[in-house]
Amino acid sequence: DADVTQTPRNRITKTGKRIMLECSQTKGHDRMYWYRQDPGLGLRLIYYSFDVKDINKGEISDGYSVSRQAQAKFSLSLESAIPNQTALYFCATSKQGGTGELFFGEGSRLTVL
Amino acid sequence: DAKTTQPNSMESNEEEPVHLPCNHSTISGTDYIHWYRQLPSQGPEYVIHGLTSNVNNRMASLAIAEDRKSSTLILHRATLRDAAVYYCILRDLSQYNNNDMRFGAGTRLTVKP
């Protein structure tokens, strides 16, 4: 089983709908992240969380919100999806301290029509 | 995090060494150099990291210039499975509360049989 699990893996939705992408991890890491990947642009950080009570904006947080329900769970919400939010979304974790190595999930492909 | 510059793409023949360059001329003294790779349809995975000295692990070697303004990821014998996008990232671990690891577009490595 994957250490970092994302659901759903694929989702097609319509403009204006609310969407939630969920991430759960079994690595016991404190830190969790949401990234977005668009073709040719690499990965861009949306939000990150150092622990259950900590939420931080990344470089492209507009239009997104997050919730850290537990140490192992970090969800990303699009309150009103728009077509330019069509992308591949990755959740990642890392442990506090150390070298900051990130462990990624397999990605959630979102299409907004 | 400081910016890195990588070639958009590179090609290699199978079973030959591959040298993937990365320029980071504005690197600070506390920046670690991290490399990740992203295989097709997967999330990125950690490859190697270093600070000043060259590093080796089971996946690759990292050669760091004496002035630290550039580094090279070395795959000693490329296989078809090494075809991926390789990301070079700087990570300032002195900024303990800034865990913002930003990925650029990376280098797409093609391995020819």
Side-chain angles (χ1 to χ4, degrees), chain A residues 18-84:
Chain A
R18 183 179 188 274
I19 294 296
M20 179 180 287
L21 305 179
E22 298 184 340
C23 177
S24 63
Q25 52 116 345
T26 59
K27 300 191 73 67
H29 289 169
D30 291 320
R31 301 182 171 193
M32 299 187 73
Y33 311 78
W34 275 104
Y35 284 89
R36 166 179 173 159
Q37 186 170 38
D38 297 279
L41 294 180
L43 283 82
R44 292 182 291 170
L45 183 64
I46 306 172
Y47 272 96
Y48 60 102
S49 168
F50 285 170
D51 62 38
V52 175
K53 297 180 180 180
D54 177 78
I55 300 291
N56 304 281
K57 292 183 177 181
E59 56 184 309
I60 55 163
S61 59
D62 288 348
Y64 301 94
S65 62
V66 291
S67 174
R68 185 81 184 268
Q69 301 96 322
Q71 186 203 39
K73 296 184 182 297
F74 192 37
S75 60
L76 177 71
S77 294
L78 289 68
E79 295 300 326
S80 180
I82 56 177
N84 74 3

Side-chain angles (χ1 to χ4, degrees), chain B residues 9-93:
Chain B
S9 62
M10 293 185 63
E11 284 189 353
S12 172
N13 294 317
E14 195 176 12
E15 298 190 4
E16 290 185 356
V18 181
H19 291 233
L20 297 166
C22 182
N23 289 318
H24 28 78
S25 58
T26 59
I27 191 170
S28 73
T30 50
D31 280 327
Y32 279 76
I33 303 160
H34 287 243
W35 283 82
Y36 284 75
R37 74 178 185 180
Q38 186 173 17
L39 301 172
S41 302
Q42 295 188 24
E45 63 176 349
Y46 168 83
V47 177
I48 200 168
H49 77 276
L51 182 61
T52 57
S53 302
N54 295 342
V55 183
N56 300 294
N57 67 19
R58 64 176 179 81
M59 292 181 69
S61 296
L62 176 60
I64 301 172
E66 192 170 341
D67 64 5
R68 301 211 321 127
K69 293 184 177 182
S70 65
S71 60
T72 302
L73 180 70
I74 302 167
L75 307 179
H76 295 285
R77 289 183 68 227
T79 69
L80 297 179
R81 287 194 69 254
D82 290 323
V85 178
Y86 288 79
Y87 299 97
C88 169
I89 302 151
L90 300 184
R91 181 79 192 293
D92 185 354
L93 291 184

